[in-house]
Amino acid sequence: MTGPDTGHLVVEVHGILASVEVDGETVRCSPMSGLNLYPVVGDRVVVEPAALEDDPPVITEVLPRRTSLARLRRDATRHGGAASEHVLAANIDLAVVVAALVRPPFHPRFIDRYMVLAQRGGIDVAVALNKADLGVEPPDLSVYRELGLAIVKVSAKTGEGLDDLRALIAGKTVMFTGHSGVGKSSLVNALHESAMAEVGEVGGKRGQGRHTTSRSSLYRLDANTAIVDTPGLRSLSMSGIPADELGDLFPEVSERAERCRFRNCTHDHEPGCGVKDAVASGEVAQVRYETYLRLLHEED
Ligand code: GDP
Ligand code: ZN
């Protein structure tokens, strides 16, 4: 957890109540009515004792979020079908997109979708290619390396590459996301088991089965590293990002957009488009541009 964090950390949310770490203990708190934001896992909050002795402590403020991960859904009832946002977690530093080299088959393009959502919330992205033990060569991911993503090859089964993954997430609050069956739970369990082995402890403070529950929770691998897990984060759906915002979420697109003839160019059908020129000359990867177009036209 980077930076000088103030307030108390929300480690779990269940209905209206939030569990908050206060002086090393996990305390159930209830949000004050009219609170500025609805607390989510990872939030930093101010907690005060309740007026009545038997009532749970009260969250009186949600501190500003460094990053936030939101699910978007196009909302037909809003002007122009603008997207409504549902924030799933706050203050995550790194989203680890997990893909299996095989079973299920790997289509690098799906990384793009996660990148867009994470970047929108200010979160860095890395890729973990799991099931390395199955002996399948990874596809060419140079496009993503050039965009600055760290890529590690791992096996939850044999432990191969787990040190690299551990180094990648050290000192951060991270989430694991990716399609069902790629091995997210297995990886998190493997990381967790090795962390627990190190401190000579079996099972965590918050018990077993945390990776299969439907709750939203945050738990620590060590003093400075935490994993946020919610079912919603595991497979992110996304739609309804406005066209003008979408371009900014593809770094190589926004970089070329200033060369477009029209200021409001969507880099689709417009003449004199700097982005399309860059795709034609190979400066911008065709696959990334195709994802951009797909998201631009996505409905639902
Ligand atoms: P999740 O849906 O992403 O959480 O995936 P799971 O962790 O439940 O794993 C899905 C399946 O893949 C299970 O049958 C795991 O045993 C298997 N699996 C996970 N990691 C590995 C790995 O590194 N190698 C192999 N061969 N199988 C794995
Ligand atoms: Zn353009």
Side-chain angles (χ1 to χ4, degrees):
M1 281 143 282
T2 49
D5 286 319
T6 53
H8 299 290
L9 181 63
V10 176
V11 293
E12 214 166 276
V13 172
H14 14 232
I16 184 86
L17 292 179
S19 291
V20 180
E21 269 186 7
V22 181
D23 302 331
E25 304 226 342
T26 304
V27 182
R28 285 201 169 200
C29 301
S30 63
M32 179 182 80
S33 67
L35 197 59
N36 57 329
L37 287 169
Y38 196 81
V40 296
V41 167
D43 261 325
R44 295 272 166 178
V45 297
V46 177
V47 173
E48 287 174 24
L52 295 173
E53 204 179 321
D54 289 339
D55 285 353
V58 180
I59 297 170
T60 57
E61 190 184 350
V62 177
L63 297 176
R65 291 168 177 160
R66 271 187 300 114
T67 73
S68 65
L69 193 82
R71 186 162 40 201
L72 290 171
R73 208 161 281 287
R74 207 185 294 276
D75 184 350
T77 63
R78 288 168 62 163
H79 177 69
S84 63
E85 268 195 21
H86 174 205
V87 177
L88 298 165
N91 302 325
I92 291 172
D93 301 302
L94 180 72
V96 180
V97 176
V98 182
L101 289 171
V102 63
R103 277 193 265 155
F106 177 31
H107 304 291
R109 213 182 289 134
F110 97 105
I111 297 171
D112 297 332
R113 305 176 73 92
Y114 292 105
M115 279 177 73
V116 164
L117 274 193
Q119 280 179 344
R120 191 165 181 278
I123 300 166
D124 287 339
V125 179
V127 178
L129 298 172
N130 191 33
K131 310 199 184 184
D133 56 285
L134 294 177
V136 175
E137 271 310 298
D140 179 13
L141 295 179
S142 50
V143 169
Y144 298 96
R145 275 207 188 84
E146 281 157 23
L147 289 167
L149 270 65
I151 300 169
V152 294
K153 203 172 137 187
V154 294
S155 168
K157 193 171 174 188
T158 64
E160 175 188 345
L162 276 188
D163 283 342
D164 296 335
L165 183 58
R166 220 175 279 120
L168 187 66
I169 68 174
K172 297 174 183 151
T173 297
V174 303
M175 60 177 266
F176 287 81
T177 189
H179 294 321
S180 176
V182 294
K184 295 177 295 297
S185 313
S186 305
L187 277 178
V188 168
N189 282 325
L191 287 168
H192 192 244
E193 268 160 34
S194 56
M196 284 301 126
E198 224 154 79
V199 297
E201 203 182 299
V202 178
K205 207 162 104 190
R206 244 166 295 134
Q208 303 291 336
R210 63 177 69 72
H211 311 140
T212 52
T213 64
S214 57
R215 299 175 306 180
S216 298
S217 58
L218 176 151
Y219 60 93
R220 297 179 189 280
L221 274 189
D222 58 48
N224 304 309
T225 309
I227 296 178
V228 173
D229 191 18
T230 86
L233 292 182
R234 288 188 186 182
S235 60
L236 291 166
S237 63
M238 163 181 63
S239 65
I241 294 181
D244 54 346
E245 218 186 286
L246 192 60
D248 291 339
L249 297 169
F250 284 77
E252 69 273 59
V253 166
S254 63
E255 216 173 275
R256 270 87 182 184
E258 56 196 44
R259 300 187 208 153
C260 297
R261 187 182 305 163
F262 302 109
R263 272 198 65 189
N264 61 351
C265 186
T266 63
H267 325 303
D268 181 10
H269 54 276
E270 296 90 341
C273 172
V275 175
K276 280 195 285 179
D277 289 348
V279 174
S281 70
E283 274 177 76
V284 166
Q286 180 76 30
V287 284
R288 292 269 301 161
Y289 179 62
E290 281 168 11
T291 309
Y292 166 81
L293 286 183
R294 193 165 298 129
L295 292 176
L296 186 68
H297 295 296
E298 200 159 85
E299 306 275 342
D300 71 18

PDB file of all heavy atoms in Angstrom, residues 246-260:
ATOM      1  N   LEU A 246     -12.716   7.278 -24.610  1.00  0.00           N
ATOM      2  CA  LEU A 246     -12.122   6.005 -25.019  1.00  0.00           C
ATOM      3  C   LEU A 246     -10.741   6.203 -25.642  1.00  0.00           C
ATOM      4  O   LEU A 246      -9.794   5.481 -25.337  1.00  0.00           O
ATOM      5  CB  LEU A 246     -13.067   5.305 -26.003  1.00  0.00           C
ATOM      6  CG  LEU A 246     -12.766   3.851 -26.315  1.00  0.00           C
ATOM      7  CD1 LEU A 246     -12.820   3.006 -25.055  1.00  0.00           C
ATOM      8  CD2 LEU A 246     -13.756   3.331 -27.345  1.00  0.00           C
ATOM      9  N   GLY A 247     -10.617   7.207 -26.508  1.00  0.00           N
ATOM     10  CA  GLY A 247      -9.337   7.473 -27.164  1.00  0.00           C
ATOM     11  C   GLY A 247      -8.232   7.718 -26.155  1.00  0.00           C
ATOM     12  O   GLY A 247      -7.098   7.255 -26.318  1.00  0.00           O
ATOM     13  N   ASP A 248      -8.565   8.424 -25.067  1.00  0.00           N
ATOM     14  CA  ASP A 248      -7.555   8.740 -24.047  1.00  0.00           C
ATOM     15  C   ASP A 248      -7.083   7.499 -23.310  1.00  0.00           C
ATOM     16  O   ASP A 248      -6.033   7.502 -22.680  1.00  0.00           O
ATOM     17  CB  ASP A 248      -8.131   9.710 -23.001  1.00  0.00           C
ATOM     18  CG  ASP A 248      -8.379  11.079 -23.599  1.00  0.00           C
ATOM     19  OD1 ASP A 248      -7.759  11.383 -24.639  1.00  0.00           O
ATOM     20  OD2 ASP A 248      -9.196  11.828 -23.035  1.00  0.00           O
ATOM     21  N   LEU A 249      -7.878   6.436 -23.363  1.00  0.00           N
ATOM     22  CA  LEU A 249      -7.552   5.222 -22.623  1.00  0.00           C
ATOM     23  C   LEU A 249      -6.698   4.253 -23.444  1.00  0.00           C
ATOM     24  O   LEU A 249      -6.283   3.219 -22.953  1.00  0.00           O
ATOM     25  CB  LEU A 249      -8.835   4.543 -22.134  1.00  0.00           C
ATOM     26  CG  LEU A 249      -9.628   5.418 -21.149  1.00  0.00           C
ATOM     27  CD1 LEU A 249     -10.997   4.844 -20.891  1.00  0.00           C
ATOM     28  CD2 LEU A 249      -8.862   5.580 -19.842  1.00  0.00           C
ATOM     29  N   PHE A 250      -6.454   4.609 -24.686  1.00  0.00           N
ATOM     30  CA  PHE A 250      -5.493   3.892 -25.513  1.00  0.00           C
ATOM     31  C   PHE A 250      -4.318   4.853 -25.720  1.00  0.00           C
ATOM     32  O   PHE A 250      -4.394   5.725 -26.574  1.00  0.00           O
ATOM     33  CB  PHE A 250      -6.114   3.484 -26.851  1.00  0.00           C
ATOM     34  CG  PHE A 250      -7.047   2.319 -26.767  1.00  0.00           C
ATOM     35  CD1 PHE A 250      -8.336   2.473 -26.269  1.00  0.00           C
ATOM     36  CD2 PHE A 250      -6.643   1.056 -27.192  1.00  0.00           C
ATOM     37  CE1 PHE A 250      -9.197   1.383 -26.184  1.00  0.00           C
ATOM     38  CE2 PHE A 250      -7.502  -0.035 -27.102  1.00  0.00           C
ATOM     39  CZ  PHE A 250      -8.775   0.132 -26.603  1.00  0.00           C
ATOM     40  N   PRO A 251      -3.227   4.684 -24.955  1.00  0.00           N
ATOM     41  CA  PRO A 251      -2.137   5.669 -24.989  1.00  0.00           C
ATOM     42  C   PRO A 251      -1.643   5.960 -26.403  1.00  0.00           C
ATOM     43  O   PRO A 251      -1.384   7.117 -26.751  1.00  0.00           O
ATOM     44  CB  PRO A 251      -1.038   5.019 -24.162  1.00  0.00           C
ATOM     45  CG  PRO A 251      -1.666   3.913 -23.412  1.00  0.00           C
ATOM     46  CD  PRO A 251      -2.970   3.575 -24.048  1.00  0.00           C
ATOM     47  N   GLU A 252      -1.521   4.899 -27.213  1.00  0.00           N
ATOM     48  CA  GLU A 252      -0.965   5.115 -28.544  1.00  0.00           C
ATOM     49  C   GLU A 252      -1.960   5.822 -29.462  1.00  0.00           C
ATOM     50  O   GLU A 252      -1.581   6.424 -30.457  1.00  0.00           O
ATOM     51  CB  GLU A 252      -0.472   3.803 -29.148  1.00  0.00           C
ATOM     52  CG  GLU A 252      -1.544   2.785 -29.525  1.00  0.00           C
ATOM     53  CD  GLU A 252      -1.950   1.862 -28.383  1.00  0.00           C
ATOM     54  OE1 GLU A 252      -2.416   2.378 -27.352  1.00  0.00           O
ATOM     55  OE2 GLU A 252      -1.858   0.625 -28.553  1.00  0.00           O
ATOM     56  N   VAL A 253      -3.239   5.761 -29.115  1.00  0.00           N
ATOM     57  CA  VAL A 253      -4.257   6.486 -29.884  1.00  0.00           C
ATOM     58  C   VAL A 253      -4.237   7.968 -29.499  1.00  0.00           C
ATOM     59  O   VAL A 253      -4.173   8.848 -30.352  1.00  0.00           O
ATOM     60  CB  VAL A 253      -5.669   5.883 -29.654  1.00  0.00           C
ATOM     61  CG1 VAL A 253      -6.763   6.815 -30.166  1.00  0.00           C
ATOM     62  CG2 VAL A 253      -5.770   4.528 -30.350  1.00  0.00           C
ATOM     63  N   SER A 254      -4.265   8.229 -28.196  1.00  0.00           N
ATOM     64  CA  SER A 254      -4.311   9.627 -27.762  1.00  0.00           C
ATOM     65  C   SER A 254      -3.068  10.388 -28.226  1.00  0.00           C
ATOM     66  O   SER A 254      -3.129  11.564 -28.552  1.00  0.00           O
ATOM     67  CB  SER A 254      -4.478   9.723 -26.243  1.00  0.00           C
ATOM     68  OG  SER A 254      -3.385   9.161 -25.591  1.00  0.00           O
ATOM     69  N   GLU A 255      -1.946   9.647 -28.297  1.00  0.00           N
ATOM     70  CA  GLU A 255      -0.707  10.270 -28.756  1.00  0.00           C
ATOM     71  C   GLU A 255      -0.810  10.781 -30.193  1.00  0.00           C
ATOM     72  O   GLU A 255      -0.222  11.797 -30.534  1.00  0.00           O
ATOM     73  CB  GLU A 255       0.375   9.199 -28.700  1.00  0.00           C
ATOM     74  CG  GLU A 255       1.747   9.664 -28.312  1.00  0.00           C
ATOM     75  CD  GLU A 255       2.633   8.446 -28.144  1.00  0.00           C
ATOM     76  OE1 GLU A 255       2.629   7.853 -27.040  1.00  0.00           O
ATOM     77  OE2 GLU A 255       3.296   8.067 -29.124  1.00  0.00           O
ATOM     78  N   ARG A 256      -1.529  10.042 -31.030  1.00  0.00           N
ATOM     79  CA  ARG A 256      -1.637  10.427 -32.457  1.00  0.00           C
ATOM     80  C   ARG A 256      -2.837  11.304 -32.743  1.00  0.00           C
ATOM     81  O   ARG A 256      -2.980  11.827 -33.843  1.00  0.00           O
ATOM     82  CB  ARG A 256      -1.729   9.181 -33.345  1.00  0.00           C
ATOM     83  CG  ARG A 256      -0.392   8.656 -33.806  1.00  0.00           C
ATOM     84  CD  ARG A 256       0.169   7.720 -32.793  1.00  0.00           C
ATOM     85  NE  ARG A 256       1.486   7.215 -33.151  1.00  0.00           N
ATOM     86  CZ  ARG A 256       2.129   6.308 -32.415  1.00  0.00           C
ATOM     87  NH1 ARG A 256       1.574   5.825 -31.331  1.00  0.00           N
ATOM     88  NH2 ARG A 256       3.328   5.910 -32.764  1.00  0.00           N
ATOM     89  N   ALA A 257      -3.735  11.445 -31.765  1.00  0.00           N
ATOM     90  CA  ALA A 257      -4.995  12.142 -32.040  1.00  0.00           C
ATOM     91  C   ALA A 257      -4.782  13.615 -32.381  1.00  0.00           C
ATOM     92  O   ALA A 257      -5.591  14.214 -33.086  1.00  0.00           O
ATOM     93  CB  ALA A 257      -5.929  12.009 -30.838  1.00  0.00           C
ATOM     94  N   GLU A 258      -3.667  14.162 -31.917  1.00  0.00           N
ATOM     95  CA  GLU A 258      -3.441  15.590 -32.222  1.00  0.00           C
ATOM     96  C   GLU A 258      -3.136  15.820 -33.703  1.00  0.00           C
ATOM     97  O   GLU A 258      -3.187  16.938 -34.170  1.00  0.00           O
ATOM     98  CB  GLU A 258      -2.330  16.151 -31.326  1.00  0.00           C
ATOM     99  CG  GLU A 258      -1.028  15.403 -31.411  1.00  0.00           C
ATOM    100  CD  GLU A 258      -0.103  15.759 -30.233  1.00  0.00           C
ATOM    101  OE1 GLU A 258      -0.594  15.815 -29.071  1.00  0.00           O
ATOM    102  OE2 GLU A 258       1.090  15.994 -30.485  1.00  0.00           O
ATOM    103  N   ARG A 259      -2.826  14.739 -34.411  1.00  0.00           N
ATOM    104  CA  ARG A 259      -2.582  14.885 -35.847  1.00  0.00           C
ATOM    105  C   ARG A 259      -3.866  14.786 -36.663  1.00  0.00           C
ATOM    106  O   ARG A 259      -3.846  14.888 -37.880  1.00  0.00           O
ATOM    107  CB  ARG A 259      -1.624  13.796 -36.342  1.00  0.00           C
ATOM    108  CG  ARG A 259      -0.269  13.839 -35.647  1.00  0.00           C
ATOM    109  CD  ARG A 259       0.673  12.849 -36.318  1.00  0.00           C
ATOM    110  NE  ARG A 259       1.686  12.369 -35.375  1.00  0.00           N
ATOM    111  CZ  ARG A 259       2.290  11.187 -35.467  1.00  0.00           C
ATOM    112  NH1 ARG A 259       1.976  10.357 -36.448  1.00  0.00           N
ATOM    113  NH2 ARG A 259       3.198  10.830 -34.587  1.00  0.00           N
ATOM    114  N   CYS A 260      -4.986  14.504 -36.001  1.00  0.00           N
ATOM    115  CA  CYS A 260      -6.245  14.357 -36.742  1.00  0.00           C
ATOM    116  C   CYS A 260      -6.746  15.720 -37.222  1.00  0.00           C
ATOM    117  O   CYS A 260      -6.582  16.727 -36.525  1.00  0.00           O
ATOM    118  CB  CYS A 260      -7.312  13.708 -35.853  1.00  0.00           C
ATOM    119  SG  CYS A 260      -6.877  12.036 -35.336  1.00  0.00           S
TER     120      CYS A 260
END
